[in-house]
Amino acid sequence: MRIVGLTGGIASGKSTVSNLFKAHGIPAVDADIVARNVLKKGSGGWKKVVAAFGEDILLENGEVDRAKLGQIVFSDLGKRQLLNRLLAPFISRGILMEVLKLWIKGCSIIVLDVPLLFEAKMDKWTKPIVVVWVDPKTQLQRLMTRDGSMEEDAQSRINAQMSLDLKRSQADIVIDNTGSLEALHEQFQKVLTQITKPLTWTEFMLSRNGAFLALFSTFISVTIFKKSLL
Ligand SMILES: CC(C)(COP(=O)(O)OP(=O)(O)OC[C@H]1O[C@@H](n2cnc3c(N)ncnc32)[C@H](O)[C@@H]1O)[C@@H](O)C(=O)NCCC(=O)NCCS
Ligand SMILES: Nc1ncnc2c1ncn2[C@@H]1O[C@H](COP(=O)(O)OP(=O)(O)OP(=O)(O)O)[C@@H](O)[C@H]1O
């Protein structure tokens, strides 16, 4: 199985690229969705976060007030690190479960869309790593437009992440999403060709079909060996 890492900065265009992969039949696991699920009322992550941050971060219906928690953690490094530490095991487990489901289905190439791929050290699970880069001005503008946020709030969210230039330096493939959507689509076609190259032997053996082949070969070898002893 080939697990492609997809990362970048906030509002750099990861979800846009992830949707292009899905449109071409390559499934993607979205870490933001996993992170939302592990913070749902009554879940393990929710209990840890409420115990650490207090009931003030809850809405009347008991769900976490995401806007409020966001304001707290994106303006305070210590609280952000605390939240990350509390949720990391639940998020990793959630992502692993999604990967397992796709493995069982027999998918040979999948994408992991993880904003904090490097920060959470999940980059070791993925090869190749695609970084969606965008210039800082465009990133800020797109973030403010998408979320309807003020410059200060948007900038503090950008500053909460590893710099995009550093992420770019650790990428196998870089998509520059500063231009138009048409320019993005053009780059994507080239990336798609690279990503869909035939699996290496190791990737094949890590896929469901590879595992079945290994099991089948072992079974045949043992049967032949037993017969040769008779
Ligand atoms: C603080 C929370 C409640 C704010 O929720 P909100 O709905 O406003 O934002 P959302 O979850 O949609 O995230 C938007 C983007 O913010 C960035 N982001 C989210 N969490 C973090 C973080 N801990 N550090 C840096 N950037 C982050 C990502 O780029 C993400 O795509 C939420 O982001 C959260 O629970 N974060 C901690 C979990 C986490 O690490 N998520 C990232 C998945 S790897
Ligand atoms: N090339 C582009 N031209 C114009 N707008 C774009 C382009 N690429 C993405 N966008 C827009 O920029 C915003 C951010 O993109 P997107 O949501 O894909 O980013 P993201 O990296 O997934 O963000 P997050 O980290 O918050 O999940 C969206 O409103 C999207 O429609």
Side-chain angles (χ1 to χ4, degrees):
M1 187 185 220
R2 176 173 298 153
I3 306 180
V4 178
L6 175 64
T7 192
I10 185 164
S12 71
K14 296 176 300 294
S15 306
T16 309
V17 172
S18 172
N19 286 336
L20 290 174
F21 277 117
K22 287 187 218 156
H24 286 80
I26 300 178
V29 175
D30 184 333
D32 279 339
I33 294 181
V34 173
R36 252 164 246 162
N37 287 336
V38 305
L39 207 49
K40 283 215 171 114
K41 184 179 168 186
S43 65
W46 179 90
K47 285 180 191 152
K48 293 261 180 203
V49 169
V50 176
F53 287 85
E55 293 195 358
D56 281 355
I57 57 147
L58 296 180
L59 294 166
E60 270 182 15
N61 64 8
E63 291 290 351
V64 167
D65 184 339
R66 303 179 62 85
K68 194 167 189 179
L69 184 57
Q71 268 166 10
I72 296 171
V73 301
F74 289 119
S75 57
D76 184 325
L77 173 64
K79 294 203 169 129
R80 190 163 63 250
Q81 285 173 335
L82 172 63
L83 180 68
N84 289 349
R85 219 171 30 248
L86 294 175
L87 291 183
F90 296 98
I91 295 176
S92 320
R93 215 172 304 146
I95 292 176
L96 209 66
M97 288 307 294
E98 294 302 316
V99 172
L100 194 64
K101 282 186 209 162
L102 295 172
W103 185 88
I104 290 169
K105 273 190 179 173
C107 300
S108 54
I109 304 176
I110 67 165
V111 170
L112 286 196
D113 172 0
V114 187
L116 307 181
L117 188 82
F118 293 114
E119 292 94 326
K121 304 203 176 359
M122 286 188 206
D123 51 318
K124 56 179 179 279
W125 296 1
T126 62
K127 186 84 188 163
I129 294 174
V130 180
V131 168
V132 185
W133 185 89
V134 69
D135 85 47
K137 250 178 79 184
T138 311
Q139 182 183 20
L140 181 65
Q141 201 52 57
R142 284 187 189 154
L143 179 55
M144 288 165 62
T145 308
R146 189 194 62 185
D147 292 357
S149 52
M150 303 297 286
E151 182 169 343
E152 194 187 343
D153 181 44
Q155 193 60 58
S156 68
R157 287 192 178 225
I158 292 174
N159 295 344
Q161 300 184 339
M162 187 173 153
S163 96
L164 257 177
D165 285 342
L166 189 54
K167 288 188 179 178
R168 178 167 65 171
S169 72
Q170 296 180 23
D172 299 303
I173 300 171
V174 178
I175 296 179
D176 181 348
N177 188 27
T178 307
S180 64
L181 282 172
E182 290 71 41
L184 176 66
H185 286 204
E186 255 176 52
Q187 292 178 72
F188 176 78
Q189 286 306 326
K190 289 188 193 133
V191 174
L192 190 63
T193 309
Q194 278 176 275
I195 296 299
T196 51
K197 277 192 302 202
L199 298 191
T200 63
W201 183 243
T202 313
E203 286 170 336
F204 174 69
M205 291 315 285
L206 288 173
S207 68
R208 186 198 64 180
N209 290 352
F212 281 169
L213 181 70
L215 257 173
F216 182 68
S217 315
T218 311
F219 174 74
I220 295 290
S221 309
V222 170
T223 310
I224 292 173
F225 179 69
K226 273 187 179 165
K227 282 205 169 147
S228 70
L229 292 179
L230 293 175

